[in-house]
Structure formats: C-alpha cells, structure tokens
Amino acid sequence: MNSSSLCLFSSEVACPASEGMQYKNVNFLLSRSSLRVSCFVKKGGDVGASNGNGKNINALVSCQLMHNHKEESFIRKRRMQVPLQKADFVRTLLIDNYDSYTYNIYQELSVINGVPPVVIQNDEWTWEELYHYLYEENAFDNIVISPGPGSPACPEDIGICLQVLLKCWDVPILGVCLGHQALGYVHGAQIVHASEPIHGRLSEVEHNGCQLFRDVPSGRNYGFKVVRYHSLVIDLESLPKELIPIAWTSSTSTLPFIGCDDFGKSNVHEAQKVESIFVDPVLAIVENGSSNHFDYGSTRSTRVLMGIRHSSRPHYGVQFHPESVATCYGSQIFKNFREITEDYWLRFRSSFKEKRAYSNGKSTLFIYGRKRRTALEAVNVQIVSSKVLVNGLLQNKCDGSSKGGGYLSLEDCQGSAETIFLKEGFLDFLNKELLSYRYDKNEYEGLPFDFHGGYVGYIGYDLKVECGVKSNRHKSKTPDACFFFADNLVVVDHKNDDVYILAIHEENSSVTQWLDDTEEKLLSLDGSVKMALEKQDSHYLTLSSNKAGFAAEKSREQYIEDVKKCLNYIKDGESYELCLTTQMKKPIKELNSLGLYLHLRERNPAPYAAWLNFSKEDLCICCSSPERFLQLDRKNTLEAKPIKGTIGRGATKEEDEQLKLKLQFSEKDQAENLMIVDLLRNDLGRVCDPGSVHVPRLMDVESYATVHTMVSTIRGKKRSDVSAVDCVKAAFPGGSMTGAPKLRSMEILDSIESCSRGIYSGCIGFFSYNQTFDLNIVIRTVILHESEASIGAGGAIIALSNPEDEYEEMVLKTRAPSRAVMHFD
C-alpha cells in the first residue's frame, strides 16, 4: 500500500517539457535515496556540521553547496534557445515542504499559469534528477518553494530547497514562508524567533512597489491585509547586501478578521501609487540599470520582514501566505510572479536565435513521497452487514513503528465468519469494493438523498496510518473500522415527512417480498411504539446503577502541562496549531444504549448525530456530533464544515447574545478557524478540479444546546479521475482534530497524548455504492465498550492559547454527553 498522504494519483503520466517529450514511467525517481543538505553552522566560535537533531535557528550559516559552472554552462545556454513570444501557460515546479497549505498554492497556480504545477516533496528528487528535468528537458519555467514546519537550518525540514536556491541562479524562484526564510538563510541571513508567534492572524503590509507587488496597495488602511503563519523570521539586521527587503509590517500589528468582505479580494482596491525604491533585478540587469538599497536605519528593529528579493537573481520570498483564503491580493501576487517569469525569459533569451516550440500538453506529472515499510502493523477492521455481517477481532498489532495492512473479519447474516489479511489496508479494500458495483443511475433519479445502500459505520482515528502518518504510538482497544453493509433500508425524510423503502438486489433476483412486508409494518405503526420504547428505557435504568463518575485520563495539572508543551512546539515553528485531546472514562453495567442515544439527542440535538450498535463486539456508539467531516454528493461536489471556536451558552437571552458576539469577534477563535479552513482547502485541493475549491461561508456562528460554535464551509468539484475513498484519504483525519501542518502535528500529538483516541476524532457515516458518502467528525460522543463509557474532548492550541482556558474549554465539551450518561445512574 502506498503510504503517503499524497498517493492518490498514478505516477505514469506525462510531463510537458519539450515538444514531443513524454515520461511514460517515473517510478524510478521514487527509489532513489533521499537528498539531505549538509550545512555548517557557527555559534559561539565553534564550527561543526549540523546533524539535523537540534535546530540551531539563531546560528550564522555558511552553506557548502558547490557546483561546476563550466560543466553546466552549455546546458544552461541551451535552455535559452526558445521563442521570444510569451507562451499561453507557465510551467511551475512546486516543492512541497510537507506542509498542509501547499495545495492551496497548487490550486492558485493551476488557474493563473494555465496548467497545473508539478508537485514534488522536498526529499523526492536528488539534485541530479531535478537538474535533468529543469535544464536538460526544459520541463519548468519557474519554481515555487512551499511553506512548511520547522526551520531552514534543519536539513530534514528543508530538503533539496537550499541547493535549488543556490544552484538555480538563472531560474525564477518564489519562496513562501519557510521558502522565504530559506532564501535568506542560504545567503547568510540569520533565522531567529519572532517577538511573538503569529498564526492565522492578519497584518497590514507595506511594500516598495516592486514588480512582485504590482497593482497591490501598500500601507496602513489601504487594504493589503495578509495572513501570517510563522514563529521564526529573518533577522533584518543580518540581511546580506545581495538580499533586498521589499515588504514589511509592524512587529506588533495584527488585525482581527471582521467579515466576509475581507477575504477573496483580488484587484478590488485601486492600487496605491508607490514610488519604486529600486528596480527589479531582472530589469536592472537587462537595461544596465542599478539597484539601490533602502536604508532602514533605526526603523529596522520595529519592523518584521515580509518580503525579500535577490539583487541579481530572479529570486523572491514572502513571509506571509498569499494562498490563504483571507489574504487580500494573494492571487495578484501569483499573477505578478508569472509575469516576472515571462519577462525574465523573454529578455534573457533575446540574444539567442535558435528556437524551440513550447509543449502544448498539460503538466500532469505528480511525484509524491513514498516511504518503504519495514514491518507490518495489523490494523483492526471489521465489516458488518445484513449480507456480510461482521465480526472479527484484530489480531495482535505490531509495535507501531511502521504502517501496514491489517486483519479484516467478515460475518454474513447467517453467522458464517472468516478473517482475512489485507496487505494493502482497509481503505484500499473499501475502494475496490465500491468500484466493483454496477448500477443504473436512472433507477434512483428522483430520490432526494444520496444514500442508496452500501456501507454504514465508522473509521477510527488510528487509520491515519493509511493516510500518510508513519505510525501509531498507541493501540486502540476498539476496532479501527467497523461497518454494516446495508442492502435493505428504510429512509425517513424529516424535511418533507416522507418515508422511503429501498433494497439492493443482484441482477435476475427479486426483493419485492421484503419491500411489501416492510411497507405493511410501517403502515401499521402507531403511537404505542413510542410508549413501549419509553417503558423499555425505564426498565434498563434500574439495571445500570453505578454511581462512580467519569475519571479523566489526565488531571487538570497534567492537561495544562500538555498545553504548555504544545505552545513550545508552536514557538519553535514545528506547528501552527495543535488539536490536543484527552479522554474521560466511567465503568458501567448493563445499559440501554439506544435509550441513552435518544436521551442525548433530545438534550443535545445535532445535525450529524448517529447511533451504531455492534453487539458481537460489545461496542455501541452514541454520537451527537455537530460537525461534518466530508460529504460527496451525486453532483461530485465535495463539502467540509470544520468547527473551530467554542463558547458556552448564556443563562439569559442577553448574556447568550453577548457570548455569541464574543466568540464571533475573538481573534484567537478566528485564528483557530482560519488555520483549519486553509487546511481543508488544501485537502480538497488535492482531489478537486483546479479553481473549484471555494469557501461560501467563513466563520459563521452556530448555536447548540450547550455551546455556540464557529463553523466554516469549504466546497470543491471532485476530479473525474479520483474515487470517493481517494477523497477521504486526502483529508483524513479531519483537520479540525489534528491541527496544521497536519502530518507534523499528528506526530507531535502522538508523543504528548497518553492513549489512543480510538473511535473519537475519526468519522461516522456512509459510503453508498453510487460513490457518494457523508461522514461526520466523532465529537460529543459516548463510546460504550466492554463495560466502560468513554468520552473524548480537547481543543485547538495556538500561540494565543491560555493553558487554564484550554482546560476549561475541554471540560465544557464533555458536559452534554457526560450528563446524559450520568442521568442513567
């Protein structure tokens, strides 16, 4: 099984380099050893090689990356032998530093460049391989280096990017955030801690009017607001003479997001007329001009560097995130970089007469990180169905040091069971099962819902190992996935008060008898059914007597200490946001789980509630989730509705309204929400058509029985070449339960949390055989398993978090489900 989170596409695709050139198979690229850049650091008079374990971010750097100009000169010269007219598209190599916002850049560039960029991860290609595509095959016109966790001083964080910035002196490059810091670092600037970490917050930026900021206003109150995600900065005082500052902001200036009019702007405001302090390096060289350095003098200490350019190379860097949904004029900056690229090649190729034609193909080469497995980790998966019931227990897992397949237990409705080993994992199995169904779409043309039968159940958090995570540190007591196959179903349309009876059957078979019998039973129902259920509830209440309350997995002091650990990781640039969680548990005796669920639903109604009962596993789930993880409908529209930002309800109408407004205008909660919105845009961007990912609703406040929550909606159009399960793999686990960047954040959380999240933080829902699905996020949920009730809860830790407040928010989220259970004592 491909173990990367970016593994959803075939590597046997074409790359539009020179005319007629195609790569039929680039799998050989994946087998090469990963590149690691060795840098020497100097601190306190001692010089030594960095081993990558410690991140000496305050060190002076001298990068020992050399190349032979004579050997490469002929190939570089040949690269100039192209037509002088501008092409209809620009081909970008996008280097991903294992970030969770890279595919937002991908979406932007796909539209602006006229062709999707090629995405590789920073340890995917050796320098020789990159050189081959860039210079020998002329496959790319420019390079964009993505954001990412960590520091450019750490080879494992930055990969090949330092070599690219030093050796590709004649190729336009744009570095974003970490890529911006790498541009400074590789030329000798120091990378230091910012005066405070800024993540998911907006600042107004001033710039000098260079070409990268053409048609972008500058200065306070002119509308150029950008989103920042960084804990580290380039020290302005250490900037070498070859790097020129082009943008900056106040060190203490951040702004709250104040409404939907603030995001998505592109050329809305008339650009402020700014005198250019210096000439772009491209124009300076071509026109024999000269670049002037702007002397900040005493102002340097009060400003944070937001942009730089190289004085003689077409290299640019921006510390902020132009791809964020809340950055104004972000698209314009990417458009300007395309124009910089086109102008650069047009001017510098003007002396060459030999021409070659641009390829008119589409750039569809995708190379993703694939890590070899060294051992198998057995993943516990079950499938239950009326046709295929399921039971099965997992066999013992490995030590969690790597990912692998798992054991699948199947049981049919007659009780016949078998256990098989899935080498490629459960999600691959589910994908093949769903793709195997054949059906006539016309049969269900008029149904007002998407579920027409298929798999109903849950995916546990630990299946993250099938979605890019290297390993699970903790072992779940419950199966990692459990599903029924529903071939006969009754669907209640609450909106229109209609009831539908559906049945799946194989060709040349009939299920009319079941349909007739079910219709007769439904028509005979009356109010006595509800009364019988209430009596049944009362009966079971007397059997569940156990007065012990819920015991927290961690004490208040321990949880607060964990929050502080998260804050330290954020300060060091390892994460922007960490969604820390814990568990509360309570021993129980015999208990009517359906009655508990109905009680929970009455006290805490929620749009994505669910009740699942896997009796043979002594497992029941009572879920009152308000959050949708991901939905795919029949129109191939993907939708995510992450929740970030929660506050309790007020005792009076006036207090309640005040608390709602407090949440709506809280800079901290806005930052939490924005970070996850950008993350979900990224996840959808992996599998959606270029330009289709959008945010119709940003930071709405929704109210529930015990809390107000901040909710956003992200949508996109699924690409035709990806499946329903591909979409889930691209986004699982839900970003609101992990933080960002997702992979690094999950690794950190695994090291802090003391037990497996199990079903909590996973998702519950359906996969219909017609390739639609709807899945929630498992929160506000009671898990009943082997005489124990457990409730998971947590919250997003960001730089603005207060440890004591985070503990109180975590407890608040357990209130509704824990009270429902205690009611049964």
Side-chain angles (χ1 to χ4, degrees):
M1 180 183 63
N2 193 328
S3 61
S4 169
S5 64
L6 306 179
C7 64
L8 307 180
F9 310 98
S10 170
S11 58
E12 294 187 342
V13 287
C15 173
S18 59
E19 185 174 359
M21 181 205 71
Q22 286 189 330
Y23 293 97
K24 294 299 184 184
N25 193 315
V26 293
N27 287 321
F28 74 96
L29 297 173
L30 305 175
S31 61
R32 297 293 187 89
S33 57
S34 298
L35 174 73
R36 288 292 179 264
V37 181
S38 297
C39 293
F40 286 85
V41 295
K42 181 178 180 182
K43 186 178 181 182
D46 296 328
V47 178
S50 171
N51 61 11
N53 294 327
K55 299 182 181 179
N56 189 2
I57 58 175
N58 292 300
L60 296 172
V61 61
S62 175
C63 291
Q64 308 299 311
L65 302 175
M66 307 298 294
H67 60 286
N68 190 328
H69 282 282
K70 290 183 178 179
E71 183 179 325
E72 298 176 359
S73 61
F74 174 75
I75 296 176
R76 291 177 185 263
K77 181 177 180 181
R78 189 179 66 181
R79 179 179 173 84
M80 302 296 181
Q81 300 172 353
V82 296
L84 296 183
Q85 70 271 16
K86 291 184 179 180
D88 294 332
F89 54 84
V90 168
R91 304 158 303 166
T92 295
L93 175 65
L94 176 54
I95 303 178
D96 174 28
N97 288 304
Y98 288 89
D99 195 51
S100 288
Y101 299 149
T102 301
Y103 274 80
N104 296 334
I105 298 176
Y106 171 90
Q107 286 277 324
E108 287 278 358
L109 294 177
S110 295
V111 174
I112 290 167
N113 287 354
V115 64
V118 170
V119 183
I120 65 168
Q121 291 179 317
N122 65 18
D123 56 357
E124 198 68 40
W125 289 353
T126 64
W127 165 250
E128 290 75 20
E129 290 161 348
L130 190 147
Y131 180 86
H132 168 76
Y133 287 113
L134 187 62
Y135 290 106
E136 295 177 5
E137 302 294 350
N138 293 316
F140 307 108
D141 302 308
N142 63 25
I143 298 171
V144 174
I145 300 176
S146 86
S151 164
C154 177
E156 292 184 356
D157 292 340
I158 201 63
I160 201 173
C161 297
L162 298 184
Q163 279 190 313
V164 168
L165 287 163
L166 276 181
K167 294 185 177 183
C168 299
W169 48 268
D170 54 352
V171 176
I173 299 176
L174 174 63
V176 178
C177 199
L178 183 64
H180 157 87
Q181 294 170 10
L183 176 58
Y185 179 82
V186 81
H187 291 290
Q190 296 182 55
I191 307 301
V192 298
H193 282 101
S195 58
E196 70 167 320
I198 303 291
H199 297 290
R201 299 161 69 188
L202 281 72
S203 296
E204 288 186 310
V205 168
E206 299 177 65
H207 60 78
N208 69 347
C210 72
Q211 190 175 359
L212 189 66
F213 296 111
R214 184 183 63 81
D215 291 336
V216 177
S218 175
R220 296 184 62 184
N221 302 318
Y222 278 89
F224 184 28
K225 300 176 185 178
V226 304
V227 176
R228 298 163 60 187
Y229 294 108
H230 65 99
S231 299
L232 310 176
V233 294
I234 295 175
D235 178 23
L236 196 53
E237 298 289 349
S238 70
L239 206 65
K241 63 180 181 180
E242 61 264 31
L243 295 180
I244 300 172
I246 59 175
W248 51 90
T249 190
S250 168
S251 60
T252 58
S253 174
T254 61
L255 304 168
F257 179 88
I258 58 173
C260 61
D261 290 340
D262 268 8
F263 76 94
K265 289 180 181 175
S266 178
N267 301 319
V268 173
H269 294 289
E270 183 178 348
Q272 181 193 17
K273 294 182 180 179
V274 181
E275 292 291 332
S276 182
I277 298 173
F278 53 82
V279 182
D280 271 9
V282 174
L283 302 179
I285 294 173
V286 173
E287 299 173 1
N288 296 318
S290 62
S291 298
N292 299 317
H293 293 279
F294 182 70
D295 184 8
Y296 283 91
S298 60
T299 64
R300 284 191 172 210
S301 61
T302 62
R303 294 186 175 186
V304 179
L305 199 57
M306 287 288 109
I308 57 175
R309 70 171 177 88
H310 196 279
S311 60
S312 60
R313 300 179 178 185
H315 294 179
Y316 294 78
V318 290
Q319 179 63 76
F320 58 90
H321 283 238
E323 81 284 358
S324 173
V325 70
T327 290
C328 301
Y329 300 97
S331 295
Q332 184 62 42
I333 291 171
F334 287 118
K335 290 176 183 176
N336 291 342
F337 183 58
R338 170 178 175 158
E339 292 184 1
I340 288 171
T341 300
E342 292 173 327
D343 291 346
Y344 175 81
W345 293 120
L346 190 64
R347 291 173 182 274
F348 277 80
R349 288 163 174 164
S350 61
S351 61
F352 292 91
K353 296 181 180 179
E354 183 179 347
K355 300 181 180 181
R356 73 166 175 83
Y358 275 90
S359 165
N360 58 8
K362 288 193 174 180
S363 178
T364 53
L365 172 63
F366 294 85
I367 309 297
Y368 296 96
R370 293 175 169 90
K371 308 292 183 185
R372 289 193 181 92
R373 292 196 192 95
T374 57
L376 286 177
E377 176 184 45
V379 177
N380 178 6
V381 180
Q382 295 181 305
I383 291 198
V384 188
S385 140
S386 51
K387 282 230 171 137
V388 192
L389 242 196
V390 219
N391 228 5
L393 261 346
L394 331 244
Q395 319 301 333
N396 47 340
K397 287 190 177 183
C398 297
D399 59 5
S401 60
S402 64
K403 37 190 180 239
Y407 291 93
L408 175 69
S409 299
L410 300 162
E411 183 179 342
D412 62 25
C413 55
Q414 280 77 41
S416 177
E418 66 171 324
T419 299
I420 59 175
F421 182 77
L422 299 177
K423 183 179 179 181
E424 302 301 321
F426 171 70
L427 293 177
D428 181 78
F429 167 82
L430 179 62
N431 189 46
K432 291 177 180 177
E433 285 292 304
L434 291 170
L435 292 175
S436 69
Y437 288 100
R438 298 291 179 266
Y439 59 94
D440 184 355
K441 294 181 180 180
N442 295 326
E443 291 182 3
Y444 300 105
E445 187 76 31
L447 291 178
F449 47 85
D450 290 324
F451 183 55
H452 302 157
Y455 295 94
V456 179
Y458 73 82
I459 297 173
Y461 180 75
D462 286 354
L463 272 192
K464 65 184 187 293
V465 295
E466 294 189 16
C467 302
V469 177
K470 293 180 180 179
S471 64
N472 283 319
R473 184 183 180 92
H474 309 289
K475 178 180 176 181
S476 174
K477 295 180 180 179
T478 55
D480 291 320
C482 213
F483 281 83
F484 296 94
F485 184 83
D487 52 356
N488 297 328
L489 51 150
V490 176
V491 180
V492 179
D493 182 349
H494 295 279
K495 184 177 181 180
N496 299 312
D497 289 329
D498 291 327
V499 177
Y500 297 81
I501 310 170
L502 284 77
I504 301 174
H505 62 94
E506 296 179 0
E507 282 186 304
N508 304 320
S509 65
S510 174
V511 291
T512 55
Q513 186 61 53
W514 180 86
L515 293 172
D516 293 340
D517 292 346
T518 303
E519 181 182 13
E520 183 178 346
K521 290 178 182 178
L522 291 174
L523 292 174
S524 65
L525 291 177
D526 57 32
S528 62
V529 175
K530 181 179 180 181
M531 293 175 61
L533 182 59
E534 290 173 348
K535 290 179 181 179
Q536 186 184 45
D537 292 348
S538 301
H539 172 68
Y540 274 93
L541 288 178
T542 62
L543 298 177
S544 61
S545 178
N546 190 325
K547 295 299 181 182
F550 278 89
E553 186 78 18
K554 291 191 175 183
S555 66
R556 181 179 188 276
E557 292 72 22
Q558 289 173 319
Y559 191 84
I560 288 174
E561 188 61 31
D562 286 348
V563 174
K564 292 178 180 178
K565 290 179 183 178
C566 292
L567 290 172
N568 286 332
Y569 279 112
I570 292 169
K571 180 182 177 182
D572 287 339
E574 295 298 319
S575 178
Y576 316 138
E577 177 174 357
L578 290 163
C579 297
L580 180 67
T581 74
T582 189
Q583 303 255 346
M584 299 173 65
K585 298 180 180 180
K586 177 189 184 308
I588 58 171
K589 294 184 180 179
E590 189 174 358
L591 182 137
N592 176 16
S593 62
L594 179 57
L596 172 62
Y597 167 71
L598 293 174
H599 176 74
L600 180 62
R601 190 175 72 175
E602 181 181 359
R603 297 293 182 91
N604 191 49
Y608 306 105
W611 177 74
L612 292 174
N613 183 30
F614 299 95
S615 56
K616 289 199 174 182
E617 300 310 319
D618 194 14
L619 173 62
C620 187
I621 304 169
C622 303
C623 176
S624 60
S625 173
E627 182 173 1
R628 168 176 280 158
F629 163 47
L630 203 60
Q631 178 196 43
L632 177 64
D633 66 17
R634 281 176 287 179
K635 297 179 180 179
N636 285 325
T637 298
L638 269 177
E639 178 181 278
K641 293 191 68 175
I643 288 177
K644 267 290 160 272
T646 302
I647 197 169
R649 299 294 300 265
T652 65
K653 184 177 180 179
E654 291 75 16
E655 182 190 16
D656 193 56
E657 187 62 27
Q658 288 176 355
L659 289 170
K660 184 177 180 179
L661 291 173
K662 180 180 179 181
L663 173 64
Q664 190 166 12
F665 293 100
S666 163
E667 186 179 12
K668 172 186 176 294
D669 292 302
Q670 290 176 351
E672 285 184 23
N673 196 280
L674 179 58
M675 281 187 261
I676 302 306
V677 168
D678 279 341
L679 189 156
L680 265 298
R681 291 174 59 236
N682 174 87
D683 291 348
L684 267 62
R686 298 178 190 275
V687 292
C688 286
D689 288 336
S692 70
V693 179
H694 61 289
V695 183
R697 303 181 72 180
L698 182 60
M699 301 183 195
D700 284 352
V701 174
E702 295 181 357
S703 301
Y704 296 92
T706 59
V707 296
H708 298 293
T709 60
M710 188 177 285
V711 186
S712 295
T713 303
I714 305 100
R715 293 188 186 127
K717 186 78 169 180
K718 183 185 76 68
R719 292 208 326 263
S720 60
D721 61 330
V722 299
S723 69
V725 175
D726 289 339
C727 296
V728 174
K729 290 178 70 174
F732 187 83
S736 62
M737 303 306 295
T738 64
K742 184 185 282 189
L743 292 179
R744 181 69 61 87
S745 295
M746 286 191 286
E747 291 174 3
I748 293 170
L749 291 167
D750 256 13
S751 71
I752 295 175
E753 296 176 358
S754 58
C755 65
S756 170
R757 296 187 184 183
I759 300 169
Y760 170 66
S761 296
C763 58
I764 295 173
F766 68 79
F767 288 90
S768 180
Y769 71 83
N770 63 357
Q771 288 285 306
T772 64
F773 63 80
D774 201 354
L775 303 166
N776 73 4
I777 295 284
V778 181
I779 55 176
R780 320 291 198 270
T781 297
V782 181
I783 308 295
L784 304 174
H785 184 237
E786 296 181 346
S787 301
E788 183 180 67
S790 64
I791 299 170
I797 312 302
I798 66 171
L800 294 174
S801 291
N802 175 281
E804 289 77 14
D805 291 344
E806 292 298 336
Y807 175 79
E808 296 302 326
E809 181 180 328
M810 181 273 293
V811 173
L812 171 65
K813 292 172 180 176
T814 68
R815 187 170 297 166
S818 63
R819 284 179 176 175
V821 176
M822 296 303 294
H823 175 82
F824 278 67
D825 269 355

